[in-house]
Amino acid sequence: MVTREEIEGFLDKLAAEGTSYSEIQPGLWIVKPTGSFSFDVVVNYSPPVVVLRVKVMALPTDPKALATLSHRLLELNATELVHGSYGIERDSIVLTEALELAHLDYDEFLASYEGMTLALASHLRELGAFQEAR
């Protein structure tokens, strides 16, 4: 099983490519992607999994906009996300992915991380239109 120290090693490899991160408590890191992204990826070492999570945006308060957004997120889950999924946590939309630690390697971790950041980069403009419906 991959240890907390090995996850930190994965994050060190990401940092070598320009990404920054900080550990806010043991086993919980905030990762700041490179580029013009305005979101952080939270990495939580929680055996038997490591969870990657991004707060995408606040939920719209307009019921019609919320229904339309929820429908669209389900479509994106079914057609464009391989391992992760959009969901609702309290009053926010989040993108979450959990990886089993039993056989995790850096390439799988990197693929998940890049998959999340790529999904957000391609979906954020469309989803951002729903923020105006608050």
Side-chain angles (χ1 to χ4, degrees):
M1 180 183 320
V2 173
T3 65
R4 185 185 80 72
E5 291 76 19
E6 288 172 302
I7 295 296
E8 191 156 28
F10 295 171
L11 296 172
D12 286 339
K13 287 182 181 181
L14 283 177
E17 298 178 20
T19 299
S20 65
Y21 74 93
S22 60
E23 189 170 26
I24 56 173
Q25 66 184 50
L28 186 65
W29 300 269
I30 302 291
V31 181
K32 298 196 178 292
T34 58
S36 61
F37 295 117
S38 63
F39 57 83
D40 298 331
V41 179
V42 176
V43 177
N44 185 11
Y45 179 78
S46 183
V49 297
V50 61
V51 178
L52 287 74
R53 177 173 298 223
V54 175
K55 179 180 176 183
V56 178
M57 60 185 261
L59 287 171
T61 55
D62 175 62
K64 186 173 181 175
L66 179 57
T68 303
L69 174 61
S70 298
H71 185 269
R72 182 62 181 137
L73 292 173
L74 287 171
E75 290 176 335
L76 292 171
N77 284 347
T79 60
E80 296 193 26
L81 297 172
V82 177
H83 299 289
S85 63
Y86 287 106
I88 296 173
E89 182 179 351
R90 294 188 199 98
D91 63 347
S92 299
I93 301 294
V94 295
L95 176 58
T96 305
E97 189 156 337
L99 302 166
E100 289 186 53
L101 293 168
H103 304 288
L104 183 65
D105 63 17
Y106 176 70
D107 290 333
E108 183 181 1
F109 180 85
L110 179 62
S112 293
Y113 173 81
E114 289 179 340
M116 289 180 77
T117 57
L118 179 62
L120 281 172
S122 63
H123 302 157
L124 216 46
R125 179 167 287 151
E126 177 186 359
L127 299 178
F130 290 97
Q131 283 186 310
E132 297 161 5
R134 278 191 62 82

